[in-house]
Amino acid sequence: MSDTHWWFFDLTAVIVLTGALTFGVFSGIDGTARILLTIPLVVFFPGYALVSAMFPDKPTNNSQSFDEAKTGLGNPLLVTGGLETIERLVLSTVFSVALVSAITLLTSLTPGGLALETVLPGTALLTVALALLAIGSRYRCPPDQRFIPPLSIGGLFFTQQRPTAYDRSNTRPYNVAIVIGLLLLVASGGFAITNQPQSDGFTEFSVDTENVTGETDTMYESTYTAGESQEVQATITNQEHEEYTYTTVVLLEQVSYDDGGATVHETEEMDRASATVADGDTHQQTLEFTPSMVDDDLRLTLLLYDGEPPAEPTAENAYRTVQLPIEVES
């Protein structure tokens, strides 16, 4: 590579790959490919851009001597102007984890909440901004001092030919330890991505209501005529993180109210319906009933069950319950 033409190549690649991988994640790619696309965005690119901005120059192994009479230091001190490539890689992974953690914390405080749609764009934008800052920092360095990534694999590690603080010892254990540490960090990042914590699942169960106006007395039809067939619309939304099969049971109950509670005196099953709903989907049911009891203390109870209901469906053994006080006239 030439300092004049290629000193910004690695940072340009970071910007391009960040945009491409982010687009790939949001394009609908799933499974192992999605994990592989996300790992470098989480454990490498943000930190590499930050380290490049902080240390735009290459290592310069100069020695600074000391006045032994004043300091007591007879040996020269090795002064390095930049970082070795392997040091940059290690710091890049560490800083990436720290930056992504900070972005995750900040996005959890936003209206969008903690989600891939907020964390990943924030990480991508920060990475691009830091990479542009790093390009500016390298540009201000003298051409002969700019850092350029090595083209060979051997240039990534500490070697005996390169003067370092480890010159007097075997560098192989350090290189092996660094490689193992990086592999463990990447593996832990992949595990965290593939095993994201999920909140407890739940199911939404409701009945359709009328349009509310200034003349609305109740949110639903509450007065019926005995012997006339009626319909009620129920809505089921599955947020259980997996496909569920539901059964809805419609009961007509005669009740009395006292001390803030209700006592059921008579129950009659009106209708039941089953539906299989995929995770994240919404299903609407049309339930029919023909009221036979005449009273002003009646209650239409809709019971939702996961799977088949028991022999005697009640509000106590149902998964979800909707209770609608109604009046039936003769």
Side-chain angles (χ1 to χ4, degrees):
M1 284 189 179
S2 168
D3 281 340
T4 305
H5 299 97
W6 297 104
W7 54 269
F8 56 86
F9 178 79
D10 58 322
L11 295 170
T12 302
V14 167
I15 294 175
V16 173
L17 289 175
T18 297
L21 295 179
T22 303
F23 176 79
V25 171
F26 284 113
S27 65
I29 296 177
D30 205 353
T32 303
R34 182 187 182 95
I35 297 171
L36 295 176
L37 292 179
T38 309
I39 286 178
L41 294 173
V42 173
V43 301
F44 185 71
F45 286 166
Y48 184 81
L50 176 60
V51 171
S52 299
M54 295 172 61
F55 303 98
D57 51 344
K58 64 182 180 181
T60 55
N61 300 306
N62 300 322
S63 296
Q64 177 180 343
S65 59
F66 292 91
D67 187 341
E68 184 176 1
K70 292 183 178 180
T71 64
L73 299 175
N75 295 326
L77 177 67
L78 184 65
V79 179
T80 302
L83 296 176
E84 299 284 354
T85 302
I86 188 62
E87 294 170 326
R88 290 176 179 270
L89 295 178
V90 173
L91 286 178
S92 295
T93 55
V94 173
F95 285 169
S96 291
V97 173
L99 289 173
V100 173
S101 299
I103 293 173
T104 302
L105 178 62
L106 292 176
T107 54
S108 66
L109 303 176
T110 63
L114 183 58
L116 180 67
E117 291 74 14
T118 55
V119 175
L120 188 57
T123 302
L125 290 175
L126 179 62
T127 301
V128 171
L130 290 174
L132 293 175
L133 179 63
I135 291 176
S137 298
R138 282 192 194 172
Y139 178 77
R140 289 192 294 269
C141 286
D144 60 340
Q145 296 182 12
R146 292 171 182 157
F147 171 77
I148 298 177
L151 296 179
S152 63
I153 298 297
L156 298 176
F157 301 100
F158 293 123
T159 63
Q160 293 292 352
Q161 290 73 29
R162 176 180 297 175
T164 72
Y166 308 94
D167 282 342
R168 297 182 181 179
S169 61
N170 182 12
T171 60
R172 179 172 296 178
Y174 298 103
N175 293 331
V176 172
I178 289 171
V179 171
I180 293 175
L182 291 176
L183 290 177
L184 289 175
L185 184 58
V186 172
S188 62
F191 178 81
I193 294 171
T194 56
N195 294 271
Q196 299 181 17
Q198 291 184 331
S199 59
D200 293 337
F202 63 95
T203 297
E204 299 177 9
F205 185 49
S206 62
V207 296
D208 293 351
T209 59
E210 298 180 351
N211 295 328
V212 179
T213 66
E215 300 179 354
T216 300
D217 293 327
T218 60
M219 298 289 292
Y220 60 93
E221 179 64 37
S222 60
T223 303
Y224 300 98
T225 301
E228 291 186 0
S229 179
Q230 306 290 341
E231 292 182 352
V232 61
Q233 300 289 332
T235 300
I236 304 170
T237 302
N238 181 2
Q239 302 288 354
E240 302 285 355
H241 309 306
E242 61 180 290
E243 185 179 84
Y244 265 44
T245 297
Y246 300 95
T247 301
T248 306
V249 178
V250 183
L251 301 180
L252 181 63
E253 300 175 324
Q254 186 180 43
V255 297
S256 62
Y257 299 93
D258 53 358
D259 298 331
T263 302
V264 178
H265 300 287
E266 186 178 351
T267 300
E268 183 180 353
E269 182 174 327
M270 298 281 100
D271 194 12
R272 65 172 59 192
S274 297
T276 299
V277 185
D279 177 41
D281 286 355
T282 297
H283 175 74
Q284 288 190 325
Q285 291 178 321
T286 299
L287 303 167
E288 298 182 353
F289 66 99
T290 303
S292 56
M293 294 181 281
V294 178
D295 201 339
D296 56 0
D297 283 334
L298 296 176
R299 186 171 67 185
L300 194 64
T301 300
L302 279 65
L303 307 177
L304 184 69
Y305 292 89
D306 172 21
E308 290 296 323
E312 295 184 6
T314 63
E316 288 72 23
N317 57 35
Y319 181 39
R320 292 288 185 269
T321 303
V322 175
Q323 296 175 331
L324 306 174
I326 63 172
E327 178 181 350
V328 179
E329 301 173 342
S330 57

